[in-house]
Amino acid sequence: MIKIYNTESISVDDILSRDIKKSGVEDIVAGIIANVKENGDKALREYSLKFDKAELESLEVSDAEIEEAFDAVDEKFIGILKKARDNIYNFHKHQLRNNFVINEGDGVILGQKVIPIEKVGIYVPGGTAPLPSTVLMTAVPAMIAGVSEIVMTTPPNSEGKVNPVILAAAKIAGVTRIFKVGGAQAIAALAYSTESVPAVDKIVGPGNAFVAEAKKQVFGKVAIDMIAGPSDILVVADGTNDARVIAADMLSQAEHDKLATAVLVTDSEELAKNVSDEIERQLSVLPREEIARASIDNNGKIIIAPDIGAAIEIANKIAPEHLEICVDNPFDYLNQVKNAGSVFLGKNCPEPLGDYFAGPNHTLPTNGTARFSSPLSVDDFVKKTAFTYYTADALNKVCDDIAYFAEQEKLSAHARSVTARKNDQ
């Protein structure tokens, strides 16, 4: 049963604490990466047989398989996927950055070019549920950025097939190539390449502890988006809310993972008690009860705060992945929010709206990292290159200053590089 606290009886550090046991994960992942680097496709097939119970001839999903999967998904869901894609596109297109040039006519031209990353790898988990939303949320921003090759990896089922809704979403989102590879071995393949899987420049997408550890270990060889941990939600709600709705919102994250965290911060003792009771009632009829109950019992918390302003301050200290502000005047509090992955404003904006449909990205910083990081965006799929141009006269004007600066750092060759070009007039 979920625990209820007041702000004086629990510290912020305790609110998102989880008993995460990753004994041996680092060594196991290191071994998988080394095996894939050495043995390529052979290692991938062996891991597929071991972990997915699938014997694969071809690792790449064929065009025929994609078309077959697309035809197998009901038309209603295809329509919904396209609506979601359009919403995601319409939001993320505003994140595009422009090149700029500074030319003040003094012989100096400065500027910045925004260049798409050429090859990006998208990891889409198989796990306990298919996640076509992850396909859309990763591929659409990459496509907007102008990435020329979007390579997706996802684990197959025991028959060697990828879930049809995953393939349908990939087609709708503009994924270039798809491979039936999951786990740490997929990350290794994307980082180092095999006979079938090309190496990419950046890897994005969520995964389990092994995937997260693999991303950590290949970082430097390739870029990554973030090291994502278990999902979390923090709901700020006043006493005017329906306990049934708040409980449903909390369980929407609890059903993700036994390590997920759902927290309610409220100024109402009555709502706190009613939500606790309602969570128990809804858990009993939830198809994923075992997962959600473990999350609620081990990590779920209800915190009673003096007022909603204090609740927002608690949220800022926790820096949740998802923050719901369930009050009638949510915009009054928006500017007070400093640390949150994504904010859902008002009583009619449940977090799953953002998971699937609204448009903002659902790949968000977890474990309090919203203090310093941001949701996945178009920015994650571009790089910036600066450029500088000086005429001889322009360089001559600043030559002595630069040389003097270099000498203060004891770098005389730097100084000489500039003074060698000096034009004595």
Side-chain angles (χ1 to χ4, degrees):
M1 190 166 184
I2 197 165
K3 301 172 183 66
I4 301 177
Y5 304 86
N6 60 49
T7 52
E8 296 177 354
S9 64
I10 187 169
S11 70
V12 170
D13 289 339
D14 290 334
I15 291 172
L16 284 183
S17 64
R18 302 179 178 95
D19 183 19
I20 301 177
K21 295 183 175 65
K22 295 192 292 184
S23 176
V25 168
E26 295 88 346
D27 291 342
I28 292 170
V29 168
I32 290 173
I33 292 173
N35 190 13
V36 172
K37 286 173 66 176
E38 182 176 351
N39 297 303
D41 284 358
K42 179 176 181 289
L44 296 181
R45 288 191 172 92
E46 289 173 351
Y47 287 128
S48 223
L49 188 60
K50 179 179 180 179
F51 297 126
D52 306 313
K53 313 303 179 189
E55 192 166 352
L56 300 176
E57 291 185 11
S58 173
L59 295 173
E60 186 164 7
V61 177
S62 67
D63 290 342
E65 287 177 290
I66 295 171
E67 292 302 323
E68 180 185 358
F70 195 85
D71 292 340
V73 178
D74 70 84
E75 291 185 12
K76 180 178 180 180
F77 191 53
I78 293 294
I80 292 171
L81 285 172
K82 289 179 177 179
K83 287 179 183 177
R85 179 214 42 209
D86 291 346
N87 290 343
I88 295 164
Y89 180 92
N90 289 332
F91 178 84
H92 286 79
K93 71 180 181 181
H94 294 286
Q95 297 173 339
L96 276 169
R97 294 180 181 268
N98 295 321
N99 300 334
F100 66 81
V101 176
I102 303 169
N103 184 357
E104 297 182 352
D106 57 355
V108 177
I109 300 175
L110 308 174
Q112 178 176 277
K113 285 170 55 67
V114 180
I115 306 167
I117 294 173
E118 290 186 24
K119 294 182 180 181
V120 168
I122 292 172
Y123 185 83
V124 178
T128 58
L131 298 175
S133 57
T134 295
V135 181
L136 300 180
M137 291 290 182
T138 50
V140 172
M143 180 265 295
I144 293 171
V147 174
S148 57
E149 190 166 350
I150 304 172
V151 181
M152 187 178 93
T153 62
T154 190
N157 62 21
S158 59
E159 296 176 354
K161 294 184 178 296
V162 174
N163 191 297
V165 298
I166 297 293
L167 296 182
K171 180 178 179 179
I172 288 169
V175 172
T176 312
R177 301 177 70 183
I178 306 168
F179 293 89
K180 305 171 185 178
V181 187
Q185 61 271 25
I187 304 303
L190 290 170
Y192 294 99
S193 84
T194 69
E195 298 89 334
S196 298
V197 183
V200 299
D201 303 306
K202 186 168 187 174
I203 301 171
V204 305
N208 62 18
F210 292 90
V211 170
E213 177 61 29
K215 288 170 70 177
K216 184 188 298 184
Q217 291 191 23
V218 302
F219 176 65
K221 172 64 176 176
V222 295
I224 61 172
D225 51 350
M226 63 185 76
I227 305 295
S231 186
D232 62 79
I233 185 171
L234 189 148
V235 181
V236 171
D238 61 22
T240 66
N241 279 271
D242 183 340
R244 176 182 56 88
V245 171
I246 301 301
D249 288 358
M250 295 174 71
L251 289 173
S252 73
Q253 289 306 294
E255 73 172 353
H256 264 302
D257 188 331
K258 291 180 179 180
L259 294 175
T261 297
V263 176
L264 166 64
V265 186
T266 179
D267 60 351
S268 168
E269 291 188 22
E270 182 181 5
L271 181 68
K273 181 182 182 307
N274 291 342
V275 168
S276 175
D277 293 342
E278 187 63 32
I279 284 174
E280 287 301 308
R281 189 192 70 78
Q282 292 185 30
L283 271 173
S284 66
V285 296
L286 199 65
R288 292 167 68 88
E289 178 187 359
E290 181 186 0
I291 293 171
R293 185 172 291 280
S295 166
I296 291 295
D297 288 351
N298 296 327
N299 306 315
K301 295 171 181 69
I302 297 176
I303 301 166
I304 301 171
D307 51 52
I308 296 301
I312 298 294
E313 286 307 307
I314 291 171
N316 283 330
K317 291 177 182 178
I318 294 170
E321 179 186 13
H322 309 96
L323 172 61
E324 289 188 7
I325 304 178
C326 296
V327 296
D328 290 326
N329 54 334
F331 286 97
D332 290 353
Y333 297 98
L334 181 57
N335 286 339
Q336 296 178 34
V337 175
K338 305 300 181 185
N339 302 318
S342 193
V343 184
F344 302 84
L345 296 166
K347 297 178 179 178
N348 302 306
C349 196
E351 183 278 330
L353 184 64
D355 269 351
Y356 302 119
F357 203 75
N361 212 282
H362 80 191
T363 304
L364 304 169
T366 60
N367 286 336
T369 58
R371 292 179 295 109
F372 52 80
S373 56
S374 307
L376 194 73
S377 72
V378 172
D379 283 342
D380 286 287
F381 300 101
V382 299
K383 55 187 179 177
K384 294 100 175 176
T385 296
F387 60 86
T388 304
Y389 170 82
Y390 272 58
T391 64
D393 285 345
L395 179 62
N396 209 48
K397 290 176 183 177
V398 298
C399 179
D400 291 341
D401 289 343
I402 297 168
Y404 190 84
F405 203 137
E407 293 294 353
Q408 303 314 300
E409 294 190 346
K410 311 299 183 186
L411 297 173
S412 57
H414 280 62
R416 195 173 301 115
S417 172
V418 179
T419 58
R421 290 174 166 82
K422 185 173 182 179
N423 181 18
D424 293 321
Q425 296 179 351

